[in-house]
Amino acid sequence: MSDATPYDAVLLLSFGGPEGPDDVMPFLENVTRGRGIPRERLEDVAEHYLHFGGKSPINDQNKELLAQLRTELDARGLTGLPLLWGNRNWAPYVTDVLREAHESGVRRVLTVFTSAYSSYSSCRQYREDLGKALAALAEEGRYLAVDKIRHYFNHPAFTDVNARGVAQALEQLPEAARAGARVVFVTHSVPDAMNDASGPPAAGGGAYVRQHLDVAAEVARRASALAGREVAWDLAYCSRSGPPTQPWLEPDVNDHLRALHADGVPGVVVAPIGFVSDHMEVKFDLDTEARETAEEIGLPFARAATVGAHEQFVAGLVDLIEERAAQARGAAPEQPATGGLGPSHTVCPVDCCRNLRAQVPAATGEDYRAPAPA
């Protein structure tokens, strides 16, 4: 029987995105506040959003994911469990959402991030924003407890759906290009230093790349079984935004496509395994720029689907909600994981994915002390 106790609400916490042209620059200023990003760089990125009418696709995708989560929760008998949605960088802001939840009687919340991996930008920054929200609410006399599910990059639902997407994309290539086609798995580039600091310090850092390589190998293995042949693959990166003097993870996907073409690869499938849904990095960096690069050099190109709101992925998220609830009740549920890394932690170790610029309290960590009434 499904049981989410001791939690009395689930929060889907996402990045956020503009809803129209007037929102674009304020949104980008929210995202980059305190990082010293030049105005010219923000204007360049703004053009990506304006290319699509100034509206990020992420908000509608989150609404679809919420609808499917609601359906799955209800199907498991969790009809009374509130399902919330908050963002880090745009409305609905997480502080406002948690305030409203508190007013309705919610006191303990389980959070699902729309990011599957470990790094500062994909985990700890979400945890810091939760910490800031809880601190702000405590100043108002409102106190909540917040936990999160474990990283789901290697949950079977995530790898299965990605593998099917790769196999289906291979079928979209011209028949002559399929046999020697290569899969290029793509994720968001981050500074080398951020990758070096990702994961628990005791594990030596580098968790961001290590997790992606593990997932890529597993997805390729499963896609190979579906396709009936061995699928060769690489890992590449998109959306670099730092100064040229700062080392970021490489190769860039466009450079890599050119290198594959020069090596005689007859076709490529670009698979955005670093992303849960088709938000701006997928729509612009892959569907627009990478596709244009492939067309320019005459390289047959197909793009694999993200997991989005696929019913198997959604069911996997609800499995993880139930798993975390069981742990909070003191049980030791099974924790299915694919690949070679095993299940991730749910409470982050001290200095996990540490902030290289400042020490900021981060919720759901071993070293976090939640505000409490005096």
Side-chain angles (χ1 to χ4, degrees):
M1 179 178 178
S2 294
D3 188 356
T5 56
Y7 301 108
D8 45 20
V10 170
L11 168 68
L12 183 71
L13 181 58
S14 193
F15 192 79
E19 289 283 3
D22 292 342
D23 296 342
V24 172
M25 284 305 295
F27 163 73
L28 292 175
E29 288 165 354
N30 283 349
V31 173
T32 60
R33 184 166 289 115
R35 291 169 51 190
I37 304 297
R39 179 78 179 184
E40 298 77 24
R41 175 57 185 160
L42 295 186
E43 290 171 349
D44 288 343
V45 176
E47 289 301 318
H48 299 181
Y49 288 91
L50 296 173
H51 181 81
F52 294 95
K55 180 177 180 178
S56 170
I58 194 172
N59 293 329
D60 287 343
Q61 290 161 12
N62 281 331
K63 291 172 186 175
E64 174 63 17
L65 179 56
L66 284 163
Q68 296 304 320
L69 282 167
R70 182 74 270 165
T71 297
E72 182 67 17
L73 289 167
D74 291 350
R76 299 194 193 192
L78 298 171
T79 53
L81 183 67
L83 181 59
L84 316 173
W85 170 38
N87 291 323
R88 292 182 43 237
N89 299 297
W90 203 250
Y93 291 102
V94 63
T95 303
D96 298 333
V97 171
L98 290 178
R99 180 184 294 109
E100 292 175 7
H102 185 275
E103 289 176 354
S104 70
V106 168
R107 294 298 180 268
R108 190 164 183 182
V109 179
L110 181 58
T111 311
V112 177
F113 299 165
T114 56
S115 176
Y117 298 86
S118 297
S119 78
Y120 174 73
S121 60
S122 56
C123 183
R124 189 178 184 96
Q125 199 166 13
Y126 284 77
R127 295 173 50 220
E128 289 180 354
D129 282 4
L130 281 172
K132 292 173 185 176
L134 295 175
L137 294 175
E139 291 180 358
E140 302 171 8
R142 306 175 189 275
Y143 299 93
L144 297 98
V146 175
D147 293 325
K148 70 176 182 67
I149 65 170
R150 63 179 163 104
H151 298 299
Y152 49 84
F153 64 90
N154 59 355
H155 191 278
F158 189 74
T159 50
D160 274 351
V161 177
N162 271 300
R164 252 178 274 154
V166 168
Q168 290 166 0
L170 284 166
E171 293 299 311
Q172 296 169 18
L173 291 172
E175 188 171 354
R178 292 176 197 165
R182 199 163 187 90
V183 177
V184 179
F185 293 107
V186 182
T187 191
H188 203 302
S189 186
V190 300
D192 287 5
M194 185 185 293
N195 173 60
D196 292 344
S198 62
Y208 184 73
V209 169
R210 186 164 59 250
Q211 290 170 2
H212 279 86
L213 290 172
D214 190 68
V215 173
E218 181 65 20
V219 170
R221 184 184 70 79
R222 292 175 181 234
S224 295
L226 292 170
R229 65 173 181 81
E230 192 70 21
V231 173
W233 62 273
D234 305 295
L235 178 65
Y237 301 91
C238 68
S239 306
R240 179 200 163 102
S241 60
T245 54
Q246 184 182 40
W248 281 54
L249 297 177
E250 295 179 336
D252 173 77
V253 60
N254 296 285
D255 295 339
H256 194 60
L257 293 180
R258 293 186 178 93
L260 291 177
H261 182 254
D263 287 343
V265 171
V268 294
V269 164
V270 169
I273 59 162
F275 304 94
V276 170
S277 63
D278 290 10
H279 46 270
M280 190 54 65
E281 289 84 351
V282 176
K283 288 294 188 183
F284 187 85
D285 294 20
L286 302 185
D287 289 351
T288 303
E289 284 193 331
R291 186 179 294 275
E292 287 175 355
T293 295
E295 290 174 353
E296 174 191 325
I297 60 180
L299 180 64
F301 175 103
R303 202 265 284 175
T306 52
V307 294
H310 190 284
E311 62 182 10
Q312 184 181 354
F313 172 59
V314 171
L317 290 180
V318 177
D319 288 345
L320 287 164
I321 290 169
E322 293 185 328
E323 173 193 297
R324 183 68 182 93
Q327 290 175 323
R329 296 193 300 269
E334 291 187 10
Q335 294 184 281
T338 62
L341 297 181
S344 295
H345 47 261
T346 50
V347 179
C348 294
V350 175
D351 283 339
C352 192
C353 300
R354 70 184 181 276
N355 184 334
L356 299 176
R357 296 189 301 272
Q359 286 291 328
V360 179
T364 74
E366 290 179 357
D367 54 349
Y368 177 69
R369 297 295 175 263

